Amino acid sequence: MKNDSTTYPIAPSLGMGAIIEENFTTFRVWAPHANRVAVTGDFNDWNPDDLELEAEDNGYWAGTTDKAKKGDQYKFLIHNGDQSLYRNDPYAFEVTNSDGNSIVRDLNFDWENDEYQLPSWNSLVIYELHVGTFNRKHPDQVGTFDDVIEKLDYLKDLGINCIELLPVAEFAGGISWGYNPAYPFAIEQDYGGPEGLFRLVKAAHQRGIGVIMDVVYNHLGPSDVDLWQFDGWHENDKGGIYFYNDHRSATPWGDTRPDYGRAEVRQYFRDNALMWIEKYHCDGLRMDATSYIRYEGGGLGFDTEILEGIMMMRDINAEIRSKYPNIITVAEDLKADNIVTADVENGGLGYGTQWDMKFVHPVREVLTTMQDDDRDIKKIVDAITYRYNSDAFNRVIYTESHDEVANGKARVPEEIQPGDAESVFAKKRAILGLALVMTSPGIPMIFQGQEFMEDGYFQDNVQLNWDKLNRMEGIDHLSSDLIKLRTGEISGADGLRGQHTEIVHCNNETKILAFKRTTDENPVLVVLNFCNKDYQDYGIGILEQMEWKIKFNSTWKGYDEDFSELQVQDVQKLHEATDQKEWTGKINIPAYSALIYTLN
């Protein structure tokens, strides 16, 4: 390293970006095609010649100085032939904005002995939220991490034990879903930057709520991406060292697929994954559109695999599983492929679980079908019983997510009855979907506002309508009861967290479906009516020794005055054969109802 005042004999610190140690800061960057690299910033009055880095092996440049301090802004100045390129630090933990400067900082927070761990995955209920709209208060300002903190007690009372944040890595502008990351290591300033995210995770953990971070490794940007032609080299007018420079660069979101064939690029995303866990204490990672990491065309038709992308995901998941076995990794692959959640040792990608298209699509189809006679209950059976690698919790199940309630698709109540989402029909059938999510095998997930029947489609510039909670307080109470039965906060329904599912009764004429969830103890019986007809003394097959008691009735008038007058009581047993069982259970089943029975 060259410096106009002093040359320091100490060796550069390990790591990438700006590494602070005592009174010194080491800068290290990968720029294999550079002839010369300097660092310029506040600390040297943006002098382009003051702080030059020395070439290391394999295209890395590094140097150490005592001039740069926490809070200083800086950029790398990369010289490649006659090109002089000012570039932000690819590893910057903070930038002034997506079109601004990098900031020297560390991520050493006071966690106050935070030792939180996620509950068992079979006890998780995930609440997906978008920081910018979840609790947005002002029309000219997006929501922040601190705004989310204000609602954590509400989520705790609801029964939620895990939140999943749409991506918060720095993106272009202040309004976005977050799936256009410009700086994967920096935190969106409009949300509150690194300090804001730290406060949110810490506050969530203090309330017993885990945090899953949504990350995007299938593409970058495409705007405000300083990694584009980073050190001046590129081919075919493509992106240079961080990106494929041939046809493989193409994705639906821009020409910016990372070049997983480069070890340095794979390391970049590996380091990013570990940052969320080690520095921000996140409890899981949800990886966006993983099929576009493993297939050139996302796995559509006859598609070419990207073997190095597969290798990267396996390596990341294997390292996380080895070092942090309680951390959950979630793939949004949507190809219904066992390999995604199979163990690395068995040739899989090693994700803990995956979003399941085999649940959301058929369930939404059945719920939104207009005529009862056209509703195919067998599709619900298939959705309930589908599993990956013989593990009920290898999948995340849901009826609403940020994708399912946008881009031309509405919330479930609005899909059921367009223009009248608060009708009794819409509410009851949407609740059937929520009940299926909370009682079927899998890790249940709901999207912000689903618990109180939010009906507007998701937009990143429109706040969640919290006024609706006041009108739908009873539905919110219903959702809370379902969630707490699922997590075990309300006792007696252990079977909902078990591996085993038995379809007890399926009648496509009456539209009645019953299934049993079991663990070693406390089984649960779920009965669902998918038609607008009350049934009295309806018979389903049961075992003689089972004394089923009503635990939950979705059409109870305590949840909504417009709901059913039909009384629902404990199962009455008769010694007559039904459903290939010697005994029959007689029950009243209100129209469009979900009933849950337990043994205590």
Side-chain angles (χ1 to χ4, degrees):
M1 179 202 72
K2 298 177 182 179
N3 186 291
D4 65 359
S5 58
T6 311
T7 300
Y8 299 101
I10 65 173
S13 300
L14 297 176
M16 295 294 295
I19 309 108
I20 302 170
E21 285 191 356
E22 298 180 352
N23 297 321
F24 298 92
T25 299
T26 292
F27 292 95
R28 180 174 284 105
V29 66
W30 177 54
H33 298 92
N35 305 124
R36 185 163 60 94
V37 178
V39 184
T40 179
D42 291 340
F43 57 90
N44 60 10
D45 295 325
W46 297 93
N47 185 336
D49 301 314
D50 176 61
L51 181 56
E52 290 191 20
L53 305 185
E54 294 181 352
E56 297 182 320
D57 294 336
N58 302 317
Y60 289 90
W61 300 77
T64 302
T65 179
D66 66 352
K67 289 186 176 183
K69 306 297 183 185
K70 292 182 183 179
D72 284 342
Q73 298 181 28
Y74 70 99
K75 281 191 174 182
F76 291 111
L77 176 54
I78 297 173
H79 300 276
N80 181 342
D82 59 359
Q83 299 180 88
S84 295
L85 307 167
Y86 285 91
R87 298 296 196 217
N88 272 306
D89 184 352
Y91 278 83
F93 289 139
E94 185 173 11
V95 295
T96 56
N97 59 68
S98 64
D99 195 30
N101 300 319
S102 303
I103 299 175
V104 176
R105 67 161 301 145
D106 58 31
L107 295 179
N108 297 326
F109 300 123
D110 179 10
W111 287 99
E112 297 185 37
N113 299 316
D114 175 33
E115 295 182 353
Y116 173 86
Q117 288 188 350
L118 276 181
S120 300
W121 296 358
N122 67 340
S123 300
L124 284 182
V125 173
I126 299 171
Y127 189 98
E128 188 189 23
L129 67 88
H130 175 248
V131 174
T133 60
F134 175 63
N135 190 28
R136 181 177 178 174
K137 300 175 180 177
H138 308 289
D140 58 348
Q141 180 181 330
V142 299
T144 67
F145 297 122
D146 288 335
D147 293 331
V148 176
I149 290 173
E150 291 183 10
K151 292 293 187 182
L152 287 178
D153 287 335
Y154 161 78
L155 293 176
K156 178 68 173 177
D157 291 343
L158 185 64
I160 295 299
N161 55 21
C162 187
I163 58 177
E164 180 179 306
L165 306 182
L166 269 66
V168 303
E170 187 74 38
F171 47 75
I175 295 177
S176 171
W177 290 19
Y179 295 98
N180 55 330
Y183 298 97
F185 285 79
I187 308 303
E188 175 60 36
Q189 284 288 17
D190 286 313
Y191 288 171
E195 296 292 336
L197 179 56
F198 153 69
R199 289 192 296 270
L200 172 56
V201 176
K202 182 177 178 179
H205 286 179
Q206 289 171 341
R207 291 164 174 78
I209 298 173
V211 179
I212 294 174
M213 183 59 65
D214 200 335
V215 296
V216 184
Y217 297 158
N218 53 68
H219 76 287
L220 294 173
S223 56
D224 290 0
V225 180
D226 259 15
L227 293 182
W228 185 261
Q229 299 178 4
F230 182 73
D231 65 358
W233 173 88
H234 62 89
E235 291 180 345
N236 304 315
D237 201 30
K238 300 284 188 175
I241 59 174
Y242 278 93
F243 304 95
Y244 285 115
N245 285 260
D246 57 20
H247 68 279
R248 291 172 293 179
S249 66
T251 76
W253 311 280
D255 211 22
T256 58
R257 178 182 277 127
D259 184 351
Y260 311 117
R262 293 179 183 263
E264 297 85 356
V265 175
R266 295 196 303 273
Q267 182 75 27
Y268 183 68
F269 290 111
R270 174 266 184 196
D271 293 346
N272 185 262
L274 290 183
M275 177 196 73
W276 300 108
I277 297 166
E278 296 175 346
K279 298 299 186 181
Y280 287 105
H281 287 205
C282 292
D283 307 288
L285 300 177
R286 181 264 193 193
M287 297 192 193
D288 178 62
T290 54
S291 63
Y292 283 91
I293 300 176
R294 64 194 188 103
Y295 288 107
E296 291 182 14
L300 301 175
F302 296 98
D303 204 352
T304 302
E305 282 191 320
I306 306 173
L307 297 179
E308 52 264 38
I310 292 172
M311 178 173 65
M312 182 188 76
M313 290 188 287
R314 284 175 174 166
D315 289 347
I316 290 173
N317 285 321
E319 184 171 2
I320 290 174
R321 183 66 57 87
S322 174
K323 291 181 176 178
Y324 309 106
N326 292 307
I327 298 297
I328 189 168
T329 56
V330 185
E332 188 219 14
D333 202 79
L334 302 181
K335 291 293 174 287
D337 195 339
N338 278 298
I339 194 175
V340 173
T341 43
D343 292 338
V344 171
E345 297 81 1
N346 296 323
L349 302 186
Y351 286 95
T353 189
Q354 61 178 304
W355 281 23
D356 187 22
M357 62 178 290
K358 292 290 189 177
F359 186 92
V360 59
H361 294 159
V363 169
R364 282 181 69 107
E365 177 190 336
V366 171
L367 293 175
T368 59
T369 295
M370 292 186 62
Q371 300 298 323
D372 287 345
D373 288 345
D374 297 331
R375 234 177 288 285
D376 187 354
I377 307 306
K378 292 180 180 178
K379 290 183 178 179
I380 299 293
V381 171
D382 292 341
I384 291 171
T385 56
Y386 197 87
R387 59 176 57 196
Y388 300 96
N389 306 299
S390 301
D391 188 336
F393 304 100
N394 260 194
R395 65 179 188 158
V396 174
I397 55 176
Y398 55 96
T399 57
E400 293 190 2
S401 72
H402 69 273
D403 276 330
E404 294 298 333
V405 300
N407 294 327
K409 293 177 284 188
R411 298 280 191 145
V412 171
E414 178 67 16
E415 291 275 357
I416 291 171
Q417 194 131 355
D420 194 11
E422 293 187 19
S423 69
V424 174
F425 290 155
K427 286 187 288 188
K428 283 184 177 181
R429 281 182 11 219
I431 289 167
L432 276 177
L434 183 64
L436 272 168
V437 168
M438 293 301 160
T439 59
S440 297
I443 298 175
M445 182 182 75
I446 62 174
F447 186 60
Q448 60 182 34
Q450 184 176 354
E451 70 277 13
F452 53 78
M453 295 284 147
E454 172 66 284
D455 54 26
Y457 67 89
F458 171 58
Q459 301 177 78
D460 55 18
N461 61 347
V462 177
Q463 67 180 17
L464 181 61
N465 183 11
W466 286 96
D467 291 339
K468 191 157 189 176
L469 175 59
N470 297 325
R471 300 200 306 275
M472 296 289 175
E473 188 175 357
I475 304 301
D476 190 74
H477 180 195
L478 177 153
S479 300
S480 180
D481 286 347
L482 273 173
I483 291 167
K484 290 174 180 177
L485 280 168
R486 182 64 181 74
T487 63
E489 189 173 342
I490 295 177
S491 63
D494 294 359
L496 295 180
R497 299 179 294 281
Q499 285 282 357
H500 306 294
T501 304
E502 176 192 351
I503 302 300
V504 174
H505 179 91
C506 178
N507 189 321
N508 226 357
E509 298 298 321
T510 61
K511 308 302 178 184
I512 299 295
L513 173 65
F515 63 94
K516 185 167 67 174
R517 297 286 311 283
T518 57
T519 56
D520 293 336
E521 55 186 29
N522 293 334
V524 175
L525 178 66
V526 180
V527 180
L528 304 164
N529 183 356
F530 288 89
C531 76
N532 189 31
K533 177 181 178 180
D534 290 340
Y535 291 97
Q536 297 188 52
D537 292 329
Y538 191 94
I540 63 172
I542 62 172
L543 298 177
E544 177 185 3
Q545 66 270 26
M546 297 295 188
E547 300 289 342
W548 293 112
K549 303 181 183 301
I550 188 66
K551 192 78 168 183
F552 171 85
N553 171 13
S554 69
T555 58
W556 175 49
K557 291 181 74 68
Y559 294 136
D560 192 306
E561 283 296 328
D562 293 332
F563 283 178
S564 178
E565 300 282 354
L566 183 63
Q567 293 297 309
V568 177
Q569 299 175 333
D570 299 340
V571 175
Q572 304 299 309
K573 291 192 296 186
L574 291 177
H575 195 180
E576 59 183 49
T578 302
D579 299 323
Q580 290 79 51
K581 291 184 172 61
E582 292 186 10
W583 288 76
T584 297
K586 294 287 187 177
I587 51 178
N588 290 345
I589 311 175
Y592 294 139
S593 66
L595 310 176
I596 299 176
Y597 298 87
T598 64
L599 297 182
N600 53 50

